[in-house]
Structure formats: structure tokens, C-alpha cells
Amino acid sequence: MAITRPDHAAPVPSAAPAVAAGRRWSAQQRSEALFALWLVLPALATIAFVAFFPLGRAVWLSLWRINLRFANTPRTWQGLDNYQQILSDDRFYNALRVTGTVAAATVALEFVLGLAFALVINRSFPGRGLTRAAVLVPWALTTVVAAKVWQLVYQTEYGVMNRILSDLGIVSSYEPWLANSNLALWALIGADVWKTTPFVALLLLAGLQLIPGDLNEASALDGATAWQSFWRITLPLLKPTILVTLLFRLIDAARMFDLPVVLTNGGPGRATETLTLYSYRTLFQNLSFGYGSALAVTTFVIVLLLCFVFIRVLGAPVGEGGGR
Amino acid sequence: MAIATSAPTRARPAITPGRVLFPLAVILVIAFCLAPFAWAVVTSLKEASTIYRSPTDYLPRPFTGDNWEKVITLPRFTRALLNSTIVASSATAISLLVGSLCAYALARLTFPAKRLVLTVVLAVAIFPGIAIISPLYLLFSDLGLINHKLALILPNVTFTLPICIWTLTAFFRDLPRELEEAGRIDGASRLQVFTQIIAPLAAPGIFTTAILLFIAAWNEFLFARTFMSVQDQYTVPVAIAQFEGADIAAATPWGEIAAAAVVATLPLVILVLLFQRRIIAGLTAGAVKG
């Protein structure tokens, strides 16, 4: 990423003769910087208004006890009590465990599957364009729609999952995928793996395409097996892409909401209640805006810490990101 | 690595396991990606009474178009399609307008605090929507914006704008630098250089970005579910999540839900089929090149 380009002093006739390679800013540079700031300003103002200002207010709300259930209930100052309460809230720890399990399992599975997909669609073969389009379908599909479709697939009596598994002889009796706590967690993980593996595959594909083809050819000439080339050449060169991809996925998994709310509604019981879902319910079902905001802010802090640790420990080269 | 470039004749082995397994792998990938969607299509073509059969039938027997007809003529649902179109297009337009300027500055101009701007944009991208939803709800309540589309368009910008800025920054960076310099020499102002030289050249990139933003905004659920409480204002995801069939008293109308799911997805599938190459380029532009 080019942050400062010293070479930008293009020959512009109107500018004063570029003397003494500038320690100070030339008029030219100053006008460019000023122009740039004008261009950046609307975006920054928008971001401040729609993101930072509400975030600041969420932190402020999290310091109060606010219940919207009864109009005119006065707010009472809580200070950090809400956060103290979170630390001894079993339901919070449950949500943390659910979110952690789902994040770890989905990211691991999506990485392995996504890499396999990327290796397949990186080759050239007839029908590759259509295959890539097929891979985009789960990514483009609205998460809520995907959740509904999976809910149908997972139905115990008339769902197609049980039909297929029993036809294949994998299960002997129909499993209650969404009604059993353990199964529901894996049903959720399975649906997310389906929905998001394509995104992982496409990012990894883009990384694969940056690797010069002659490197693998050369190693094949030198007598390396495809497996050896993969481990010794492809994977190491793909490492930056892999790290960025994993980081995106972790962030997304940590704030998962749409899928559990529609597929299982956090159940059975609280078996699939993620952090975001718990915060949401506290806010909009209990109408406890103080404690709910504290939970939401905590979720944000957890995501932030996750990014920080990931970047520090793995040295992920976070330059800029892609879509979601 | 020094390799003789003089036509190395590599003898290919006639049949490798790869040759046999590869087509199989392609088929598996396609099946994995399309199977649940295909199941929605199958279910949408089943008659209501046959859907609850156990074990379920793999194919619709008898075959019916009733569910499709019901969904397409269901005002609640067509209304939601319209709402989603309005909200997603508006969020896309605002993000492009504001984001393209910012992206151009980040890609091409030198200015102090550039790294800070990049960091701020990145930081917003990791905001979980839940962290800003309580103050926004109170704000929109105070302003009387609950059930108003503005209450969806603005929060959607929180995640479409960062996507827009990264993707466009990558696209702008790929344009040849000489063009701007030539424009400047010809006496164009900096703003003219952007609006008349760079923006038209970047049109394909801007179009691609628009598709990505539209899909992201079309799929948004958390804000839509929270800020839109009347059926008139539901977007497609909310309408599908809360779907009640034409006959509200009936059991879960899976046939209609499946038809609605397919109808709601068709625009996206068409976009994907038409612009597969561009979408992949856009999706990965910012992520990998930086």
C-alpha cells in the first residue's frame, strides 16, 4: 500500500520550478492534500454519524439502568455495575461458549473445504465459469432465506436430510436435528459452512491466482509431487491471503445473528443463543436498554480483541479488506 | 529459478487418479452449492398435502404451480420486494457517492493522516451491528423514523460504505496514473480530472461495486427486523423470516415459504450468473492485492 509517494511531483507547468527536493510542502502538494481532505470529509462525516456516534452512545447507555417496558421509569446511574453483572451472568457465558464453538468449528471447516474448492475452480476446465457462478450462489443468497431453507431440510419427519441419511444407511432412525441441543448446534454449524464456504473459496482463489504458475511447473520439473508443491510452494505463498480470510471469517462468526435467530431461534433452550442474539433479546424482548447495551458493547470489545490478538500473534497483513 | 526455456517436452502420464477424480470433485462442489437451493425449488413445486409426507419425496408428485402463484400475488410479499429494492438502491447510491470520492483520495492522492482514514474505515467494517442498534433505536424513535425507510437506509450505510471504499480504492489504484497527469497538463482542475477522466474509466469497477453493495444491503436483517415493525415496511428478509402464508390460520406453509425463498433469490442468482466474473473480481479486489 503506497501511503506516501514521494514520486508524485509530476511535471506541471504552472507549478514553480520544483527546487530542492521538498523538505517543506510545495504549493502543489498543499493543494493536493487540501483537495484530498475535501474528498475524504463526506465519508468520514457519514461514518462518524452512522457508526461512531451511535457506538459512543451505546457505551453511555450501558452505564445506566434503563427499562423501556414502563414509560416514565427514570433511568438510574449504574456506572460499571452492568459490566460487573455480565461477569457473573451464566447466560452470558453460555452465549460466549456457543459463539466460540460455532466460530471455531465453522472457520476451521470452511477453511479446509474452501481451500479444496479454490484448488478445484482454479484449474481450467470446460464449464469453469458456470461452476464459479454456482459457487457464488450460497454467498449471494440472503442469510435469512438460507436459514429458512435449511430449517426445511432439517425437519425431523419430512425433512430431506433424514431421508438422504437414512437412504445412505448413515442413520437408522430419524434424528431431531433442530430439537436436540447438540444436534442443533451442529445443524447451525452445517448451515453456516454451506453459506460461507464459497466466500472463503473465492478469497483463496484470488490468492491462488497471484501465485505464478511457472513456480509449480518448475517444481514439477524438479521432480516434486503435486502434494509436495502444494505444501512447499502453494501454502506458504498463500499464507497472507489465508490470514486475511480467516480474520474476516472470525469477525463475522463472532457477530453471527441472522442464521441462529431464524434457523433455531437460539434453541432448543439456549443451545444456539449467540452473543448477538442474547444482546438482541435483552434489548428488544426484555427492553433492558442499559444491560442490553452493555452486552452489545461487550460483544464489540470481544470482536475487537479477537482482531487485535489475531493480528499481533499471526501477523496478519491487514491492508484492506474485501466484501463480506 | 533457472529453467531451460527451450520447449521442455513434459511427457504427461496417460491416466492419473487426478483425471478421474477431478470431474468428480467439480460435481461435488456444484452439488454442495446448489443442493439446498434445489430442494427449495422442489418443495415450492409440491402440493401442500405432500410436503408433510414422511419419508419425504425427492420429486414433486403431483407437480403444482400453486405456491408460486400464491406468493407472487401476495401483496405483503410484493410490497417487501419493492421495499427491499428501494432501501438497497438508496444505500448503494449514497455509499457510491460518498465512498468513491474517499476511495479516489486514498488510491491516488497524497495527504496527511491517510493511514488514519484507512484505519477508521477498517474499524467500521468490524463493528457488529448489535453494538450500535440500541442508540439508533432510541434516536429513530425520538425522530419518528421507526417504520420509515430512512431508518434502514442510514444504518445500512455503516456496512456498505466501508465495502465501497475498499473495493473502489483497489479499482482506482489499477488505473494508469498518466491519464490524470495528462488531464492536469491540459488544464483540467483536480475535480474535473476525477469526474471526467477517472470516474468514467472506473465505470466497470463502480458497477461491480454497486452489485456488491446492493447484495449486502438487500440481505440485511438485524436493522430491518428492529426498525420496521409494520408489515407494510418489511423488507424481503423480514417478510421471509416472519412468513405467514396466504391462509394465516394454516400450519407452517412450507410450500409458500419455499416459493418465496426462490422468488426472493432469483434476482440475486440472475445477477450472479450475469456478472460472475466481475463479482469475483470485486469481492477479492481489496482483500488480496493490498
Side-chain angles (χ1 to χ4, degrees):
Chain A
M1 187 183 340
I3 295 298
T4 45
R5 296 186 64 105
D7 63 324
H8 82 113
V12 176
S14 63
V19 242
R23 209 148 298 260
R24 294 176 46 207
W25 282 43
S26 64
Q28 162 75 16
Q29 279 169 318
R30 228 175 300 140
S31 99
E32 180 171 327
L34 202 64
F35 178 62
L37 288 178
W38 276 113
L39 294 185
V40 170
L41 208 59
L44 288 185
T46 310
I47 287 173
F49 178 69
V50 296
F52 283 98
F53 164 69
L55 180 68
R57 242 191 117 197
V59 174
W60 176 243
L61 289 175
S62 76
L63 304 176
W64 295 80
R65 178 198 299 276
I66 305 164
N67 199 315
L68 299 183
R69 193 174 297 278
F70 311 104
N72 305 325
T73 312
R75 300 179 169 194
T76 49
W77 176 255
Q78 291 279 91
L80 292 175
D81 286 2
N82 282 331
Y83 291 96
Q84 198 120 44
Q85 194 186 330
I86 288 177
L87 289 180
S88 55
D89 181 350
D90 287 343
R91 196 169 162 190
F92 167 75
Y93 287 111
N94 173 65
L96 192 62
R97 192 180 48 79
V98 168
T99 310
T101 312
V102 173
T106 54
V107 174
L109 291 170
E110 284 158 15
F111 171 66
V112 174
L113 264 180
L115 186 58
F117 280 24
L119 289 170
V120 168
I121 53 180
N122 190 34
R123 302 248 301 244
S124 66
F125 57 90
R128 183 172 69 165
L130 277 179
T131 310
R132 288 184 179 181
V135 171
L136 276 175
V137 167
W139 166 81
L141 201 67
T142 309
T143 309
V144 169
V145 172
K148 271 288 174 199
V149 172
W150 278 99
Q151 204 179 30
L152 173 63
V153 168
Y154 284 135
Q155 290 298 321
T156 309
E157 293 305 325
Y158 50 90
V160 73
M161 178 66 89
N162 274 331
R163 167 86 203 260
I164 293 175
L165 291 181
S166 74
D167 282 359
L168 293 176
I170 297 174
V171 297
S172 53
S173 63
Y174 280 11
E175 298 287 346
W177 293 105
L178 299 177
N180 168 302
S181 300
N182 266 324
L183 291 179
L185 197 63
W186 286 99
L188 175 66
I189 291 167
D192 189 72
V193 167
W194 176 76
K195 175 84 179 77
T196 321
T197 296
F199 174 73
V200 174
L202 292 172
L203 287 191
L204 294 177
L205 171 69
L208 283 178
Q209 286 172 340
L210 293 180
I211 299 175
D214 32 341
L215 274 183
N216 279 317
E217 281 176 27
S219 80
L221 278 183
D222 290 347
T225 63
W227 190 242
Q228 283 171 327
S229 308
F230 174 74
W231 279 106
R232 305 249 171 91
I233 296 174
T234 310
L235 265 192
L237 286 174
L238 201 57
K239 192 179 160 210
T241 312
I242 292 174
L243 292 179
V244 170
T245 309
L246 291 182
L247 182 61
F248 282 170
R249 282 302 308 135
L250 269 180
I251 294 171
D252 252 13
R255 55 188 181 184
M256 183 186 279
F257 175 76
D258 302 10
L259 202 53
V261 86
V262 177
L263 182 67
T264 56
N265 199 16
R270 285 169 189 155
T272 53
E273 188 176 73
T274 58
L275 281 172
T276 304
L277 185 47
Y278 177 33
S279 313
Y280 184 86
R281 286 172 159 178
T282 309
L283 285 169
F284 296 102
Q285 283 176 7
N286 301 352
L287 297 177
S288 308
F289 262 52
Y291 193 57
S293 300
L295 285 169
V297 170
T298 307
T299 306
F300 173 63
V301 170
I302 289 171
V303 172
L304 207 64
L305 282 177
L306 206 63
C307 289
F308 189 74
V309 169
F310 193 89
I311 293 169
R312 269 297 151 93
V313 173
L314 290 172
V318 179
E320 56 226 47
R324 28 176 73 206
Chain B
M1 225 173 282
I3 300 162
T5 45
S6 53
T9 42
R10 273 171 297 146
R12 291 202 170 206
I15 290 183
T16 63
R19 286 245 174 124
V20 185
L21 290 178
F22 186 71
L24 198 68
V26 172
I27 292 170
L28 277 178
V29 168
I30 296 177
F32 176 91
C33 292
L34 297 186
F37 187 65
W39 185 244
V41 175
V42 168
T43 306
S44 74
L45 297 172
K46 282 184 177 180
E47 238 172 37
S49 59
T50 65
I51 289 174
Y52 302 92
R53 223 177 251 167
S54 177
T56 192
D57 301 324
Y58 284 123
L59 292 171
R61 297 176 302 187
F63 185 94
T64 173
D66 284 2
N67 296 314
W68 281 70
E69 200 185 315
K70 276 189 202 148
V71 162
I72 293 171
T73 55
L74 194 63
R76 286 199 295 277
F77 189 66
T78 45
R79 178 80 215 178
L81 284 171
L82 179 69
N83 289 338
S84 273
T85 310
I86 295 173
V87 169
S89 322
S90 312
T92 303
I94 294 176
S95 305
L96 280 180
L97 204 69
V98 173
S100 63
L101 298 175
C102 179
Y104 175 64
L106 288 174
R108 280 303 229 267
L109 304 176
T110 310
F111 59 100
K114 192 167 181 172
R115 188 172 263 286
L116 183 69
V117 174
L118 266 171
T119 312
V120 165
V121 173
L122 263 177
V124 177
I126 68 165
F127 270 41
I130 191 77
I132 56 173
I133 203 166
S134 54
L136 285 179
Y137 182 82
L138 295 179
L139 179 73
F140 293 146
S141 299
D142 288 348
L143 297 175
L145 286 179
I146 296 294
N147 288 320
H148 192 289
K149 292 194 180 56
L150 209 55
L152 270 193
I153 296 169
L154 289 179
N156 278 0
V157 170
T158 49
F159 61 85
T160 51
L161 187 58
I163 305 175
C164 175
I165 294 176
W166 308 327
T167 316
L168 278 182
T169 304
F171 277 123
F172 286 146
R173 215 176 263 153
D174 283 349
L175 295 176
R177 209 163 250 283
E178 294 73 30
L179 291 161
E180 286 147 296
E181 284 158 10
R184 292 286 283 153
I185 291 169
D186 288 347
S189 75
R190 291 184 192 280
L191 193 61
Q192 282 169 331
V193 167
F194 176 68
T195 56
Q196 292 174 16
I197 301 178
I198 299 299
L201 272 175
I206 293 177
F207 179 70
T208 306
T209 310
I211 298 178
L212 294 180
L213 302 183
F214 187 87
I215 292 179
W218 180 275
N219 291 345
E220 200 282 327
F221 180 59
L222 177 61
F223 296 131
R225 175 184 153 120
T226 311
F227 300 147
M228 300 294 127
S229 60
V230 295
Q231 220 163 41
D232 264 8
Q233 294 295 338
Y234 281 180
T235 58
V236 170
V238 183
I240 290 194
Q242 325 263 39
F243 197 91
E244 294 159 333
D247 174 13
I248 293 176
T252 322
W254 277 115
E256 289 166 56
I257 292 177
V262 177
V263 173
T265 308
L266 277 183
L268 302 179
V269 170
I270 291 169
L271 276 180
V272 159
L273 282 176
L274 288 178
F275 303 114
Q276 169 263 121
R277 207 176 279 272
R278 281 171 181 285
I279 292 176
I280 294 181
L283 196 61
T284 54
V288 192
K289 280 184 201 162

